[in-house]
Amino acid sequence: MRCPSCGYPESKVVDSRSADEGASIRRRRECLECGNRFTTYERLAEHPILVIKTDGSSEVFDRQKLMRGLLIACAKRPITPEKIDGLITSLETELRATQRTEIKSKDLGDMVLARLVKMDEVAYIRFASVYKDFQSVEEFSQALGDLG
């Protein structure tokens, strides 16, 4: 693992503990060159989950892509990146527990929204406005009405 600060390829593990309810291992590392400390996560390599898009094309489920979208939706809200990571992990765990290898993007978005509405209604509306591709104020207003 290369140091994110100086790029040196050698580091030592300072601390190791279970994370994501046992789904991964969190490791604190220290660069042997510059002494910078950083965190890595080790996850079990599993079969990829394919996301079937509305146009019929498919792509491999990408945690980081979903994380980026959720970070934007949760900007300036009291939601930590750890909570967002937990949301994604619970979603991925649910998909793997049902042994699904494919999911429609609509179903995936609905699963995200179901979890996000419990965390923060503003973040929910932000994510829904992009995911549901609101084209009018009426559609936006309808989504707000559904919350209350």
Side-chain angles (χ1 to χ4, degrees), residues 90-104:
S90 76
L91 183 114
E92 208 172 355
T93 301
E94 181 180 336
L95 291 173
R96 293 199 188 283
T98 59
Q99 302 200 349
R100 293 178 74 168
T101 56
E102 291 184 355
I103 185 167
K104 291 181 181 177

Side-chain angles (χ1 to χ4, degrees), residues 2-10 31:
R2 292 193 176 276
C3 173
S5 181
C6 71
Y8 192 71
E10 300 292 323
C31 176

Side-chain angles (χ1 to χ4, degrees), residues 13-116:
V13 175
V14 178
D15 181 42
S16 206
R17 60 180 69 169
S18 179
D20 300 328
E21 299 170 4
S24 65
I25 298 173
R26 177 185 180 270
R27 298 192 194 282
R28 286 293 292 162
R29 296 179 175 271
E30 184 176 320
C31 176
L32 296 177
E33 180 69 19
C34 70
N36 180 49
R37 289 191 175 201
F38 56 99
T39 302
T40 60
Y41 289 89
E42 184 178 315
R43 298 186 198 292
L44 179 65
E46 297 172 328
H47 297 290
I49 298 169
L50 290 179
V51 178
I52 310 301
K53 302 175 108 182
T54 53
D55 66 1
S57 66
S58 64
E59 66 181 44
V60 175
F61 173 77
D62 183 355
R63 281 183 70 90
Q64 294 306 312
K65 182 177 178 182
L66 183 53
M67 176 65 94
R68 285 189 301 273
L70 285 168
L71 284 171
I72 291 168
C74 297
K76 298 184 181 179
R77 301 300 304 155
I79 302 173
T80 64
E82 290 78 21
K83 283 186 179 180
I84 296 170
D85 189 63
L87 182 151
I88 296 170
T89 297
S90 76
L91 183 114
E92 208 172 355
T93 301
E94 181 180 336
L95 291 173
R96 293 199 188 283
T98 59
Q99 302 200 349
R100 293 178 74 168
T101 56
E102 291 184 355
I103 185 167
K104 291 181 181 177
S105 59
K106 181 195 178 315
D107 296 338
L108 181 63
D110 289 342
M111 291 173 74
V112 171
L113 287 173
R115 287 166 169 77
L116 195 55

